[in-house]
Amino acid sequence: MKLLVVTPEPVDANLLRATLGEEVEGAEVLVVSPATTQSKLAFWVSDTDEAIHEAEVAQEETVERLEEAGVDAAGDTGESEPAVAIQDALATFPADRIVIFSHAGKKDYREDEGLADAEERFGVPVTHAEISR
């Protein structure tokens, strides 16, 4: 199984297993962390350096945590709009399932933009889960 994991924060294998159960075992995982900004102003003035850095850290830490737990994982940063990041990832990684993690409570600006109909939009089963900051 090919599993696309979209997350704004680092996640580990335990959280992924709690979300998907045994589907994680033996899966090939691609972690994508969209470079979302925490404020509308940062987005509109294209102040994305911090967002890109945070996305790189999130995907690198997630990949490291998954691999330490025996999960085959690779990662990349994505566009600031998660739906576009997913579309870009699916162009080269034909996922069988998508897991979208988002912040519980206060979300980054546009963090959930275009994700309400993700399953219909991408034609792949989607699981949504929340993480704490």
Side-chain angles (χ1 to χ4, degrees):
M1 169 189 287
K2 289 182 174 255
L3 179 62
L4 176 59
V5 174
V6 181
T7 183
E9 298 287 331
V11 297
D12 61 23
N14 290 334
L15 180 58
L16 193 55
R17 286 183 181 113
T19 303
L20 284 183
E22 296 303 314
E23 289 186 60
V24 175
E25 303 312 318
E28 179 184 348
V29 178
L30 176 63
V31 176
V32 173
S33 185
T36 56
T37 58
Q38 292 188 6
S39 74
K40 188 183 298 187
L41 178 61
F43 176 82
W44 287 109
V45 298
S46 298
D47 184 12
T48 58
D49 290 345
E50 184 177 339
I52 292 168
H53 174 72
E54 289 174 1
E56 288 173 350
V57 168
Q59 67 89 3
E60 287 171 1
E61 285 186 24
T62 299
V63 167
E64 185 176 301
R65 292 175 183 181
L66 293 175
E67 288 188 333
E68 285 174 357
V71 176
D72 180 24
D76 200 2
T77 56
E79 290 290 325
S80 62
E81 191 170 316
V84 174
I86 292 169
Q87 183 176 345
D88 290 349
L90 291 174
T92 58
F93 185 82
D96 300 305
R97 173 172 290 283
I98 301 170
V99 179
I100 300 171
F101 288 101
S102 60
H103 291 114
K106 187 175 187 251
K107 299 184 183 322
D108 288 347
Y109 181 64
R110 299 174 63 99
E111 180 176 328
D112 55 0
E113 185 74 24
L115 297 179
D117 65 345
E119 194 160 323
E120 293 172 17
R121 183 175 184 174
F122 301 116
V124 178
V126 174
T127 300
H128 291 269
E130 291 189 335
I131 53 176
S132 300
R133 281 190 191 247

